[in-house]
Amino acid sequence: MIGLNDNGAPEGIEFKADLTLERLKPRLEEVWRNNEIDEAQRSEFERRLHAHWRPLFEILFRLYGSRYDFFFHIERILQTAAQAWSDRPVELRDLDRHRINEPDWFQSEKIVGGALYVDLFSDNLVKAREHVDYFQKLGLSYLHLMPLFAVRPGNNDGGYAISNYRSVDPRLGTIDDLRMLAADLRRAGISLVLDFVFNHTADDHGWARKAQAGDREYQEFYYLFPDRTVPEQYEATLREIFPTVRRGNFTWHDGMQQWVWTTFNSFQWDLNYGNPAVFRAMLEEMFFLANVGVDVLRLDAVAFIWKQMGTDCENLPEAHLLIQAFNHLARISTPSLLFKSEAIVHPDEVVKYISPQECQLSYNPTLMALLWESLATRQVGLIMQTLRHRHRLPEHTAWVNYLRCHDDIGWTFDDDDAAMIGINAYDHRQFLNQFYTGQFPGSFARGIPFQENIKTGDMRISGTMASLAGLEQAIEEDDEEKKELAIRRMILLHGVTLSIGGIPLLYLGEEWGMLNDYEFVTDPAKAGDSRWIHRPKMQWDYLEELNDHIESGNGSIRNHIFKSTQQLIALRKSLPALAGQNMELINTFNSHVLGYLRIFEGHRLIVLANFSEEVQCVEGNKLRTAGIGRFFEDVIEKKTFETSAPVELEPYQILWLKRV
Ligand code: GLC
Ligand code: GLC
C-alpha cells in the first residue's frame, strides 16, 4: 500500500504514475495503430498526456486506488482518452491549437451568451440553423442549447432525464443535424454550450435497463438498496431537492424490489461514481459530446455527484476530484473544451468549483439572487456586502452572470453576510418569497412558488424576468407608468449583468419581455413542475412586428425591450473595459445606488445603478477619484456629467460612465 505524505498525497505517487504509464505504452500504440494516427498527432497528444498524467493518476488513485480493479480501469481510461483524440475532427483539432494559445478567449467583452430550448425556440435543429442570423442580430456569441438528447417518454425534466447521450431526441432531429448546427455556429463565431448531465441518467437509459434486468455489473452503476435501513441512515443528513415530487431522496422500484437513489425526480437515477466503471463510461459520453463540436459543457448538478454517509452528500471533496479528473482528461484529448459549473449552492461552495483545473466557468447564482433581492428592497446593502468579498475569481476563470434561466430562483446568499448588515436571513427569505409571489403589499412581481417545503417553510420562485419585474401586472392593469417602471427594471438588471465582469447570459425570451406562460398546466408531463411557467415558446411574429415597426415607426413594449437589450449588448461589445473579471465596488453613499468600477488594460468604466423608483443622487467627487477624471459621458444615453455637481439618476436608471 502507498502511505500518505505531508500534503495528503500518496507517497511515491509520481514514480508510480510514471511506471504505470510506461506499462501502458503498448496500449497507446494499439490505439494509434488501429486508427492510423500519424507521428505528429501522436506526439501532440503525448505532450499533453505527460503534462497531465501525474496529477490525473494521483486523483484517480485517491478515488479508486483501493479498488481491486484499479489498474484495469486506468488502462481503459487511457485508451478512451487516446481514442477520443483519434476521433477528433480536424476543425476541432485546429480549434484546440488556437485555444491553447488563447486560453482567456471567454474573458472578452465580445462574449455574450444566450440559452434556449430548441423545441420551444424553433421546433427542431434544422430550423434552428435557419435562425443563426437571429443570434447574430441580437449580438450573441455563446449559445447554450438546453438538453436535446433522447429522453424517457412522458415527464423528462426538461430534457434532464436522458436515455441516450449519443442520440438526439427524434422530435428535434439527429446527431448529424446537431453537428451541422455546431459547424454553422462555429462559422458565425458563436460558441456552442451543451449540458453534461452526469449526476444521473433516466430510468430507461441502457445502463438502468440492464440493472432492471438483473445485470449485477450495471446495478453497480447506481445506488440500490433492498430495504430502508441504509437509505434511512443517509436520509438523516440529506436535504430534499424536490420535496413536492416525493419525500426523501429514494424511490422504490417494484421490478427490482430495490430502493434507488433519486436526488431529483423519481425517474432520474443518481450514478454511483464510487464505481470507476461509471467514471469511465461517462468519460466516453463526455468525449463523444466534445467531438460533436461543443465548446463548453455545462456540468449539471455538480454538487451531488459524490455521496458519503453522515454528510449532506453535497459539495464533497471527492466531487471536486472527479471534476478535476474529467478536466485533466479534457485537457489531454479535447483541449479546447471548457467546463461550466452548475452549483446552485451556498456561495462559499459555489466558488470552490471554479479554477482552471476544475470548472473555468460558473453560474453566478448569488449575484442573480441578490439582483432580485435589491429590486425588491430597493436597497443595495446586501449585494454590496456580498460582492465585496465574493466577486473575485482565480485567473483564467469567469462568472456567467444571468438573471433568469430555465430553473427557479433560490435565495442563495450567505446568512452571515446578511447578519453583518442587520438582516435576519430566515425572515428575509420569507419576505422575498412573499414579494416575488406577489403577496407582499405593493409588490409588482408575479412569480409562483416552486418546491414549497411544508416542513422547513422553504420555497423557491418561478416566473419570467418580465413577470417578476412587474410587466405582467402593469399590462394587466394597463398602467402606463407601471409599464415604464417595469421596463426600466429590466434594462437596469441587464445593464448590471452585461457590465459587472464575466459572461452575461440571457435566457431567450427575455429580449422580448416574455411573460409567464400559464398554459403549462394543460400538459400532464409539465403540470407538476412550475418551472414551465418561465419556459415560453418563441413568438416569431414579434420579430416581424419589429421589422414592420422599423418601417412604420410604430412602437410596442416588446420592440422597445428588444431594441434596448440589443443596444446594450452592442455597447458592451464595444467597451474593452468590460473584458475580464476585475471589478471594484464604489461606495456611492446612497443606499439605493450600486456603484462599481471596471478596469481592463487601462480602460475604465464606472457603473452606477439606481435600484429605486425615486430619483437618486451621487456625489460627483466620488466618481472623480474612482474614474480619475472630471467629465464623464454616460455611453448609454450619451449624456455628459461634470463631477463638480451631484450626478442625478432617474428612477431605475443605470449609467455606464466613461471619462471624456
Ligand atoms: C439541474 C437542472 C435542472 C434539473 C436538475 C436535475 O439543476 O438545471 O433543471 O432539474 O439539474 O437534472
Ligand atoms: C437545486 C439544486 C440545483 C438545481 C435546482 C433545480 O437548487 O441545487 O442544482 O438546479 O435545485 O431546482
Side-chain angles (χ1 to χ4, degrees), residues 459-528:
M459 181 207 283
R460 281 115 74 189
I461 300 291
S462 292
T464 65
M465 177 187 195
S467 289
L468 296 179
L471 191 61
E472 188 175 320
Q473 188 199 56
I475 289 176
E476 238 168 63
E477 295 177 8
D478 197 19
D479 183 323
E480 292 308 317
E481 202 185 314
K482 286 188 176 175
K483 285 182 203 166
E484 173 66 23
L485 289 177
I487 294 173
R488 286 180 180 218
R489 289 187 196 105
M490 298 171 69
I491 296 170
L492 168 79
L493 294 181
H494 280 310
V496 176
T497 51
L498 283 162
S499 67
I500 199 161
I503 302 177
L505 178 63
L506 268 77
Y507 182 62
L508 266 73
E510 274 169 22
E511 76 280 25
W512 298 104
M514 296 261 229
L515 301 180
N516 284 347
D517 176 7
Y518 295 90
E519 286 301 296
F520 76 96
V521 291
T522 59
D523 182 341
K526 298 181 175 173

Side-chain angles (χ1 to χ4, degrees), residues 127-188:
K127 289 199 206 146
R129 292 181 62 197
E130 292 162 15
H131 294 304
V132 173
D133 61 337
Y134 178 76
F135 308 134
Q136 288 177 308
K137 181 175 183 154
L138 188 57
L140 304 184
S141 46
Y142 162 119
L143 189 66
H144 173 204
L145 303 179
M146 300 297 299
L148 38 71
F149 302 99
V151 283
R152 71 192 294 282
N155 187 352
N156 58 48
D157 190 20
Y160 285 97
I162 297 179
S163 28
N164 185 339
Y165 296 89
R166 298 187 188 212
S167 61
V168 166
D169 180 340
R171 289 165 291 194
L172 303 178
T174 64
I175 204 80
D176 281 326
D177 295 334
L178 179 60
R179 282 198 185 95
M180 286 189 280
L181 175 61
D184 289 355
L185 291 173
R186 206 160 38 247
R187 273 191 291 276

Side-chain angles (χ1 to χ4, degrees), residues 233-234 237 308-313:
Q233 288 167 6
Y234 277 115
T237 48
Q308 191 181 330
M309 181 75 77
T311 73
D312 63 358
C313 299

Side-chain angles (χ1 to χ4, degrees), residues 112-127:
V112 175
L116 60 86
Y117 279 98
V118 172
D119 55 341
L120 298 174
F121 181 75
S122 60
D123 296 328
N124 58 45
L125 287 165
V126 171
K127 289 199 206 146

Side-chain angles (χ1 to χ4, degrees), residues 239 241-242 264 298 300-301 304 314 342-345 407-408 450-451 460 531:
R239 254 200 316 157
I241 305 301
F242 284 176
F264 296 93
R298 170 192 182 276
D300 183 58
F304 302 92
E314 290 183 43
E342 192 248 348
I344 313 301
V345 289
D407 279 334
D408 45 287
F450 178 66
Q451 298 298 331
R460 281 115 74 189
R531 289 174 297 174

